[in-house]
């Protein structure tokens, strides 16, 4: 089985890396390897290695969606076809050679229409308000600083990366991180809420599986 595939167990959320190879994530982050070195790039559904290299660092939100879809019972779609299907909605835009996104409102429209998922843009909330939100939705795609994989450090700012929150209470929060650098920072990461709050930008996307699949 390729590392980018998953067996979905009841009640479990499979893990996927936005770079396709979870075991290579640490080397990609610290510069020992580049995206051109990722051998599993074709598993992303990219039409070429160049397309994979262009998009891989922008796919944390789509990777969260892929994990949610897989947890809902859908065969997990490859990341690039999932992304391409969303582009007519405006989920990403090009500014010169740069790619900007994920843009929340178009993403919500995409998942509502294409995947029949309930979704809502959520802004101006605290980390403590995520737990009540999860009583109405299945997951919360939260905007955090990517250095959340190193929770002992203080981030330079909040936001810039998306993680899939699956559980929260008044003390702890649990999430899957598409750019985790090792198993303990990738799937079912649990942090004290006070630590998560240092990285959290106060915004994200509330998301639910279709009612028949919840």
């Amino acid at each position: 089985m390729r590392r980018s595939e998953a067996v979905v167990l009841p009640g479990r959320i499979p893990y996927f890396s936005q770079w396709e190879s979870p075991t290579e994530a640490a080397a990609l982050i610290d510069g020992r390897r580049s995206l051109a070195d990722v051998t599993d790039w074709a598993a992303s559904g990219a039409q070429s290695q160049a397309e994979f290299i262009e998009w891989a660092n922008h796919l944390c939100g789509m990777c969260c969606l892929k994990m949610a879809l897989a947890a809902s019972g859908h065969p997990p779609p490859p990341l690039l076809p999932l992304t391409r299907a969303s582009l007519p909605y405006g989920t990403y835009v090009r500014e010169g050679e740069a790619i900007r996104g994920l843009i929340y409102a178009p993403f919500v429209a995409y998942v509502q229409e294409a995947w029949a998922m309930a979704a809502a843009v959520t802004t101006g909330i605290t980390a403590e308000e995520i737990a009540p939100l999860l009583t109405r939705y299945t997951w919360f795609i939260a905007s955090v600083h990517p250095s959340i994989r190193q929770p002992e450090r203080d981030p330079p700012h909040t936001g810039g990366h998306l993680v899939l929150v699956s559980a929260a209470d008044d003390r702890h929060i649990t999430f899957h991180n598409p750019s985790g650098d090792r198993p303990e920072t990738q799937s079912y990461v649990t942090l004290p809420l006070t630590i998560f709050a240092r990285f959290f930008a106060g915004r994200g996307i509330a998301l639910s599986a279709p009612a028949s699949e919840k």
Side-chain angles (χ1 to χ4, degrees):
M1 178 183 295
R2 300 169 71 98
R3 282 301 306 269
S4 57
E5 295 176 351
V7 174
V8 182
L9 301 176
R12 299 288 293 179
I13 304 170
Y15 179 77
F16 299 103
S17 168
Q18 69 185 83
W19 301 305
E20 291 302 328
S21 179
T23 57
E24 294 181 274
L28 290 170
I29 292 164
D30 67 21
R32 286 176 289 137
R33 293 175 67 81
S34 73
L35 289 172
D37 298 318
V38 175
T39 56
D40 282 347
W41 67 265
S44 70
Q47 295 172 336
S48 66
Q49 187 181 34
E51 184 185 28
F52 169 77
I53 292 170
E54 179 182 33
W55 279 95
N57 286 331
H58 302 280
L59 297 181
C60 53
M62 283 297 167
C63 194
C64 288
L65 174 60
K66 178 176 177 175
M67 291 187 279
L69 288 170
S72 301
H74 291 280
L79 278 173
L80 263 298
L82 190 65
T83 302
R84 286 190 219 105
S86 78
L87 295 180
Y89 293 82
T91 52
Y92 296 86
V93 297
R94 290 189 179 275
E95 296 177 341
E97 295 185 0
I99 296 171
R100 185 170 67 86
L102 185 84
I103 302 173
Y104 292 2
F107 177 80
V108 165
Y110 167 58
V111 298
Q112 288 174 336
E113 184 170 327
W115 296 102
M117 303 175 89
V121 176
T122 306
T123 60
I125 68 169
T126 65
E128 290 78 9
E129 292 175 287
I130 295 175
L133 189 65
L134 290 178
T135 66
R136 306 192 305 275
Y137 291 89
T138 312
W139 307 285
F140 181 59
I141 300 177
S143 176
V144 299
H145 191 270
S147 64
I148 198 166
R149 68 177 77 91
Q150 298 173 306
E152 71 281 0
R153 301 185 180 183
D154 287 325
H157 56 81
T158 61
H161 178 57
L162 295 169
V163 299
L164 183 68
V165 176
S166 57
D169 57 27
D170 60 355
R171 296 181 61 189
H172 296 92
I173 193 160
T174 300
F175 58 91
H176 278 27
N177 182 358
S179 72
D181 59 354
R182 56 197 186 279
E184 57 268 32
T185 67
Q186 291 173 343
S187 62
Y188 291 103
V189 183
T190 298
L191 292 179
L193 203 62
T194 53
I195 292 178
F196 183 87
R198 299 204 320 265
F199 299 84
F200 179 49
R203 60 181 180 267
I205 302 158
L207 187 67
S208 281
S212 62
E213 297 172 357
K214 288 180 65 176

